[in-house]
Amino acid sequence: MRAKTLRTWLDYLQSKGRLAVIDKPVRLKYEVAAIAKKLDGKQASYFTQVEDYSVPVVSGICSTREDFAEALETDLYGLIPKFTQAVASPIPCQLVDNNQAPVKQNITRENIDLMKLFPIPVHHDKDSGNYITAGLFIVRDPVTRKQNVSIHRLQVSGKDKLGALLLPRHTFHLYKQAEEAGRPLECAIVIGVDPATLLASQASTPFGVDELEIAGALRGEPLEVVRCETVDIDVPAFAEIVLEGKILPHVREPEGPFGEFPKYYGPRSDKEVVQITAVTHRNNPIFYTIVPAGYEHLLLGGIPREASLFQTIRQTVPTVKAVHMSPGGTCRYHAIVSIKKRNEGEAKNAIFAALANSFDIKHVVVVDEEVDIFDMEEVEWAIATRFQAQRDLVVVHGAQSSKLDPSTNEGVGSKMGLDCTVPLESEPMRYLRVAIPGYDSINLDEFVNPGNSKAVRFAEESS
Ligand code: MN
């Protein structure tokens, strides 16, 4: 396995020259986020001197599609099949003792003050305060004892208190059950894990599937977990930091605004509150933050969504080759799909399937299999030369959409699909791509500056 822990992954990035170590003192407010964002998509950033904190901050540990592929020991086109396979065949976790779990090296139960313990940054100008953006939020279903993992934005609302945005998904469902019975819901927030576990936390699965078991499948061996001190939750044993706590019943306090993935602010409103009951961490812990709306954030959401989208389209169009949720479309709103068209009309069915997969998907572009859907210039070329709005455009109005898309009417909006596939019966020369014979096999080094080339004189007379 390439990266069993955050630390082995950082070692790997450093060995490849993809870790920027920033030793100069930086401010918690905006400066960490600004530098990390400048390096987004290029290098991970590791800050050793964040104000007076002894704890370093890391961000951007996977900020390209290639980073995730490497962490999973596959390539660009292998990423989605590998993730899909892991979702289909989870591996149960292995429970280890405290003494085998580095995350238990330090345990704090009293006088918890999150901002004194950890450098939790402020990211955007209108954010309401310091936010934990990369915490794996783990809860347990008391009936099945299966755990659920997701990431929620967490506002530091007090010394030992967090405000959480719980969208109506699995965590929220378990919380509402507990709240209706008048009970809190126990939780653990895990900061600083390996890329596979991080990505697994974002899997689109039915309720009842433990995302840590998907992490095990991605890693090819059971994920080692350890029981928390004050709550009945199991957390990755090699995590950097764990915050234990409970979501309080019938308590709501102001949270937000907060800069979100579409590069707009999510609004302030009364939201659920997490009371922290214990903090455990490794010796010399590393604090991990995700800069919202950066490539790391977008890809973390996008790759697992692509896996789900691919499965949905394949049920309708078995010859789907690949799907791409592009960063320009926030890795949520735009889906690009390549298919090997066998029957006329299949591209339109692929559009319907994509729009049915998630209400977030707004625009769908379907292209033939030979178009590289990870190259957006290729995609634009297909739209430019293979699409006629009169026959190739699908538009549906008044459908459920993303509430975070400010152009919708409170989450109700239009959907659009573009069929950019070549008509099957078209005359072969009409859509034949130009090609230069021998182009692919040319080795430029043999022709350009091979070492013995003479300088050419262009200007004949001195002026
Ligand atoms: Mn889940």
Side-chain angles (χ1 to χ4, degrees):
M1 194 190 316
R2 186 160 281 151
K4 199 174 168 178
T5 68
L6 173 64
R7 293 176 187 211
T8 51
W9 178 244
L10 295 181
D11 276 338
Y12 176 77
L13 288 179
Q14 184 161 247
S15 75
K16 297 283 176 186
R18 301 211 310 259
L19 181 82
V21 177
I22 295 124
D23 284 328
K24 201 171 177 295
V26 292
R27 289 188 308 277
L28 203 52
K29 195 171 181 180
Y30 309 142
E31 203 167 26
V32 165
I35 294 166
K37 186 147 191 168
K38 289 258 185 200
L39 291 166
D40 190 24
K42 303 178 193 93
Q43 282 184 303
S45 40
Y46 182 78
F47 301 91
T48 61
Q49 281 198 68
V50 183
E51 298 184 359
D52 298 327
Y53 290 92
S54 61
V55 177
V57 176
V58 70
S59 187
I61 65 166
C62 281
S63 64
T64 65
R65 190 171 283 275
E66 289 80 1
D67 283 344
F68 282 106
E70 269 183 73
L72 269 49
E73 296 182 343
T74 180
D75 60 18
L76 226 52
Y77 280 88
L79 195 52
I80 298 310
K82 176 140 193 185
F83 194 82
T84 305
Q85 174 64 27
V87 170
S89 45
I91 296 178
C93 298
Q94 185 191 346
L95 192 63
V96 301
D97 295 333
N98 270 14
N99 59 17
Q100 295 168 284
V103 74
K104 299 288 191 161
Q105 284 163 348
N106 301 272
I107 300 172
T108 309
R109 295 161 179 269
E110 308 290 330
N111 302 318
I112 294 164
D113 187 338
L114 293 172
M115 286 310 303
K116 281 213 170 104
L117 285 168
F118 305 115
I120 306 172
V122 181
H123 297 91
H124 288 118
D125 60 347
K126 305 284 191 233
D127 283 2
S128 56
N130 305 73
Y131 266 84
I132 297 169
T133 57
L136 270 53
F137 199 101
I138 307 182
V139 296
R140 194 193 285 281
D141 184 336
V143 180
T144 63
R145 291 201 51 78
K146 281 278 185 187
Q147 297 199 140
N148 188 75
V149 190
S150 49
I151 296 178
H152 305 279
R153 71 190 206 207
L154 297 165
Q155 169 192 276
V156 179
S157 303
K159 283 183 176 177
D160 55 358
K161 212 166 65 168
L162 299 168
L165 170 67
L166 306 180
L167 293 172
R169 294 194 290 250
H170 301 161
T171 310
F172 183 75
H173 174 68
L174 290 168
Y175 168 67
K176 288 306 279 185
Q177 279 185 352
E179 185 177 52
E180 278 160 21
R183 288 194 306 265
L185 181 69
E186 293 184 340
C187 62
I189 295 150
V190 180
I191 299 163
V193 294
D194 61 285
T197 304
L198 185 68
L199 191 64
S201 77
Q202 299 304 293
S204 309
T205 68
F207 180 71
V209 175
D210 180 351
E211 286 82 356
L212 292 185
E213 297 187 359
I214 295 172
L218 278 180
R219 293 159 53 102
E221 62 181 43
L223 181 70
E224 288 162 281
V225 295
V226 66
R227 185 68 41 88
C228 283
E229 298 298 306
T230 58
V231 292
D232 179 24
I233 305 271
D234 298 334
V235 293
F238 287 82
E240 293 294 322
I241 298 163
V242 170
L243 314 179
E244 304 180 5
K246 51 198 173 185
I247 317 175
L248 304 174
H250 308 296
V251 178
R252 302 290 188 277
E253 289 178 6
E255 185 273 344
F258 178 71
E260 272 287 0
F261 73 86
K263 303 185 169 81
Y264 296 103
Y265 291 94
R268 184 174 186 80
S269 64
D270 287 342
K271 307 222 179 68
E272 286 75 11
V273 173
V274 180
Q275 177 68 52
I276 302 300
T277 54
V279 175
T280 75
H281 63 81
R282 293 179 68 135
N283 292 336
N284 306 311
I286 301 168
F287 187 84
Y288 170 49
T289 195
I290 293 173
V291 179
Y295 288 118
E296 179 166 48
H297 185 192
L298 297 181
L299 288 166
L300 263 176
I303 292 165
R305 279 174 170 78
E306 287 170 355
S308 162
L309 175 64
F310 186 84
Q311 291 296 97
T312 305
I313 296 176
R314 193 156 67 173
Q315 288 175 17
T316 304
V317 182
T319 53
V320 56
K321 185 188 170 204
V323 299
H324 180 207
M325 306 200 76
S326 53
T330 77
C331 287
R332 296 225 193 357
Y333 298 163
H334 286 179
I336 301 128
V337 181
S338 60
I339 64 170
K340 180 173 176 54
K341 189 162 74 170
R342 292 183 193 277
N343 302 292
E344 206 48 76
E346 272 182 327
K348 296 252 173 42
N349 293 65
I351 289 168
F352 297 139
L355 293 175
N357 173 253
S358 162
F359 63 73
D360 275 336
I361 295 176
K362 180 179 180 183
H363 300 147
V364 183
V365 173
V366 183
V367 298
D368 290 303
E369 62 170 347
E370 102 288 357
V371 174
D372 180 0
I373 61 172
F374 297 105
D375 178 346
M376 292 310 289
E377 192 172 318
E378 277 265 297
V379 174
E380 188 184 356
W381 171 80
I383 296 171
T385 64
R386 298 180 169 188
F387 170 79
Q388 280 296 315
Q390 189 181 20
R391 58 158 203 248
D392 299 324
L393 178 67
V394 176
V395 180
V396 177
H397 301 296
Q400 190 195 358
S401 305
S402 168
K403 282 190 176 167
L404 286 169
D405 171 0
S407 71
T408 65
N409 185 4
E410 301 293 325
V412 177
S414 297
K415 308 287 184 180
M416 178 170 79
L418 285 73
D419 172 0
C420 305
T421 57
V422 169
L424 287 176
E425 297 305 317
S426 58
E427 188 260 314
M429 260 312 269
R430 185 171 181 145
Y431 286 99
L432 187 66
R433 273 197 204 223
V434 297
I436 302 174
Y439 177 84
D440 288 337
S441 59
I442 289 280
N443 177 6
L444 266 190
D445 292 339
E446 289 175 19
F447 296 91
V448 182
N449 300 324
N452 54 0
S453 58
K454 296 192 196 89
V456 183
R457 247 187 97 86
F458 293 103
E460 291 302 329
E461 67 281 356
S462 53
S463 51

